[in-house]
Amino acid sequence: KNEVEQSPQNLTAQEGEFITINCSYSVGISALHWLQQHPGGGIVSLFMLSSGKKKHGRLIATINIQEKHSSLHITASHPRDSAVYICAALYSGGGADGLTFGKGTHLIIQP
Amino acid sequence: KAGVTQTPRYLIKTRGQQVTLSCSPISGHRSVSWYQQTPGQGLQFLFEYFSETQRNKGNFPGRFSGRQFSNSRSEMNVSTLELGDSALYLCASSFQGTSNTEAFFGQGTRLTVV
């Protein structure tokens, strides 16, 4: 069964800390997305990866295809980074274009 | 450039009724995907439309249907509503699909079935 596992489920950290959120998937994928969801429901796409590493501001996303694992890092975390971070994988084959989502990581950054 | 627009933002319906939700994608985007988000199940894929054709469908009953118009706007319909259909419904648009292009999400429609 195609699944996406995220850890940790909840994370509370102090402002300025380096944050890492992990995502594992069960079989080969064609793309992996990292999303951010704020209270109220709006979702923002942070990254789309199929290999390697991407960086945008204080956010870095990496993916290791062999280990079927991706990480999202936040450097110099800030209270405005508080949100739910969701990993979503697009599984290869069958012409499917529907994302399978992890359950999300609830991140709280305290001042 | 305008983002993805979903209407209405909030909706209350009674069991047994039907509902239609609308999604206007970013101009130039041909792919529109629909998702359901509930506290218990999280985010789940409903279906994806590309150039007016349903390209893929998730694991939802036939009461959930959709369509896409020539201007790429998409509608999602749920018939014979059940209490369990209460959820946040999100649509996302992308240029070609989530396999190779970034997805842009709307603010969602929060549906409450009473």
Side-chain angles (χ1 to χ4, degrees):
Chain A
K1 182 181 172 185
N2 297 337
E3 290 182 335
V4 175
E5 299 286 340
Q6 272 187 252
S7 63
Q9 194 172 348
N10 297 287
L11 179 57
T12 300
Q14 295 298 121
E15 183 173 356
E17 286 189 39
F18 182 82
I19 304 298
T20 296
I21 299 170
N22 297 298
C23 175
S24 297
Y25 46 92
S26 56
V27 292
I29 63 171
S30 56
L32 187 126
H33 295 249
W34 280 102
L35 311 170
Q36 180 193 56
Q37 186 171 32
H38 281 282
I43 290 180
V44 174
S45 175
L46 298 175
F47 297 102
M48 186 200 72
L49 299 166
S50 55
S51 64
K53 175 180 175 178
K54 287 190 176 179
K55 183 176 190 291
H56 185 257
R58 295 180 296 105
L59 301 177
I60 302 166
T62 63
I63 188 167
N64 184 317
I65 302 297
Q66 287 73 30
E67 295 186 5
K68 300 183 181 63
H69 180 267
S70 176
S71 293
L72 176 68
H73 305 287
I74 305 175
T75 62
S77 59
H78 191 276
R80 65 174 174 266
D81 297 325
S82 299
V84 176
Y85 292 84
I86 302 167
C87 167
L90 184 69
Y91 282 90
S92 305
D97 208 2
L99 296 171
T100 299
F101 297 87
K103 296 212 179 291
T105 294
H106 294 247
L107 174 66
I108 297 173
I109 304 297
Q110 295 177 335
Chain B
K1 125 174 147 175
V4 179
T5 304
Q6 288 189 247
T7 57
R9 290 290 311 279
Y10 302 92
L11 205 48
I12 299 175
K13 289 285 188 179
T14 305
R15 270 183 302 174
Q17 287 186 312
Q18 73 163 15
V19 67
T20 299
L21 312 182
S22 178
C23 174
S24 294
I26 290 172
S27 177
H29 284 190
R30 294 159 66 190
S31 168
V32 174
S33 300
W34 287 91
Y35 304 91
Q36 182 197 64
Q37 187 176 35
T38 59
Q41 297 297 320
L43 274 160
Q44 296 183 90
F45 169 70
L46 280 156
F47 29 65
E48 188 234 359
Y49 285 87
F50 184 86
S51 294
E52 301 179 65
T53 301
Q54 187 180 85
R55 194 154 69 169
N56 196 41
K57 191 175 190 304
N59 214 14
F60 278 80
R63 300 185 297 108
F64 292 81
S65 63
R67 58 179 175 168
Q68 187 179 34
F69 302 96
S70 58
N71 61 358
S72 292
R73 188 177 72 86
S74 178
E75 288 182 347
M76 189 192 103
N77 185 274
V78 188
S79 62
T80 319
L81 283 166
E82 301 176 359
L83 294 179
D85 297 333
S86 295
L88 179 67
Y89 290 89
L90 291 151
C91 78
S93 82
S94 61
F95 183 64
Q96 288 185 319
T98 49
S99 61
N100 53 12
T101 53
E102 188 179 0
F104 295 83
F105 285 79
Q107 287 293 104
T109 294
R110 190 166 294 281
L111 172 65
T112 302
V113 182
V114 297

